[in-house]
Each structure stands twice: as C-alpha cells, then as structure tokens.
Amino acid sequence: MSDHELEQINQLITEAIAASNVSAGDGSGEARRSRMLANVKRRSRAPAPEGTYTVRADDMPWEVFDTGIERKRVVTDHGDGTHSCIYRLQPGAKFRSHPHKHQETCWVISGEVLVGEHPLQAGDMHVAEVNFDHPEVVARSEALLLIRSQIGRGPLSPP
C-alpha cells in the first residue's frame, strides 16, 4: 500500500471518528484513530498465503536501463535463466534488434509500441520464439511493458 493510499485511509478514519461524537478532550478519539490506522497498516502488509509471495511496487526501485527506458526487476528464476521486468519507455525510446535463446514474452500494460512495423497496444501480448532475431522495438507513446526474458540478454541489454 502506498503512502498516498495510507494518507487517504488516515483521512477517512479521522473523518469517521470526528462524526462519531467521541469527545476530543478525553484522548479516546486519537487513540481510536491510531488503533484503526495500525490495523489497516497491519492488514496491508499481512504475509502472502503459503506457497506464494508478493513483490510490492514500492519495494522495486526504477533503474535507468537505456536512453528513455527505465525498468523494475520483478521476478528472477535462476532455474530456467529468465527474469520478468517492468519497463517504462518514453516516446521514441528503442530496444535494439536482438537474438533469442529463450522464448521472450511481452505484455503491453499501457501505451503503444512498434515491433518492426507491427503495432502493439495496451492489452496485447507479443511472443518472440527461440532462435529468432527480434526486430527493433520503438515506443510510439509512453509505454509500460511487462517482459519475461533471458537473464543478461533481455529485450535489450545495454552495451
């Protein structure tokens, strides 16, 4: 849960307590608000169910990947040598053409990109098969992509 979301919840709790006729002088309103906010925070960070894990957006920093491109590393699978990353591309940013030793999947979360001359938009999934060269990818607008690719190669490993 982001700080902004917690602040919104804090505001709602404060308003609910103010409307509940609790006397401000007895301190119970502030104590009640603190308990309610602590409970919301606890629930928002409750452990993931057994056999699963959660990667929180706030826990993944954006890193500069290349000109006009940032990424967040989400999941790494050393067993099969792949990782999943979120890429944020500015309009005109490019991934160079590159070969594939693993299948690469790309889900366009938002925006629009061209794979060669092939357009992709939000919601589209694109798959590059093993042993094929991937054409250049160009962002036509600001775009957010989730890509699962080979570790160390990716859609474009900076030179």
Side-chain angles (χ1 to χ4, degrees), residues 87-147:
Y87 292 86
R88 182 166 55 192
L89 289 74
Q90 296 304 311
K94 298 177 183 180
F95 289 132
R96 295 184 307 271
S97 175
H98 55 278
H100 288 272
K101 292 185 179 177
H102 283 75
Q103 183 183 70
E104 179 180 277
T105 57
C106 172
W107 178 44
V108 181
I109 298 169
S110 66
E112 188 175 350
V113 297
L114 288 173
V115 178
E117 296 298 317
H118 183 66
L120 300 174
Q121 59 188 9
D124 291 344
M125 172 70 77
H126 183 73
V127 180
E129 291 294 349
V130 177
N131 298 322
F132 282 92
D133 285 353
H134 197 296
E136 181 178 71
V137 176
V138 179
R140 295 179 83 180
S141 64
E142 185 173 311
L144 202 58
L145 311 175
L146 175 61
I147 299 177

Side-chain angles (χ1 to χ4, degrees), residues 34-95:
S34 293
R35 283 192 311 274
M36 291 171 74
L37 186 56
N39 190 38
V40 168
K41 287 179 181 179
R42 181 185 56 78
R43 287 184 180 183
S44 73
R45 295 296 184 182
E50 186 176 345
T52 70
Y53 64 94
T54 299
V55 180
R56 303 270 181 205
D58 293 347
D59 296 339
M60 297 178 294
W62 285 106
E63 59 186 33
V64 174
F65 185 71
D66 204 352
T67 304
I69 303 173
E70 296 175 295
R71 85 170 163 195
K72 288 186 177 197
R73 296 173 195 253
V74 182
V75 177
T76 300
D77 185 340
H78 293 287
D80 74 356
T82 63
H83 61 178
S84 297
C85 299
I86 299 171
Y87 292 86
R88 182 166 55 192
L89 289 74
Q90 296 304 311
K94 298 177 183 180
F95 289 132

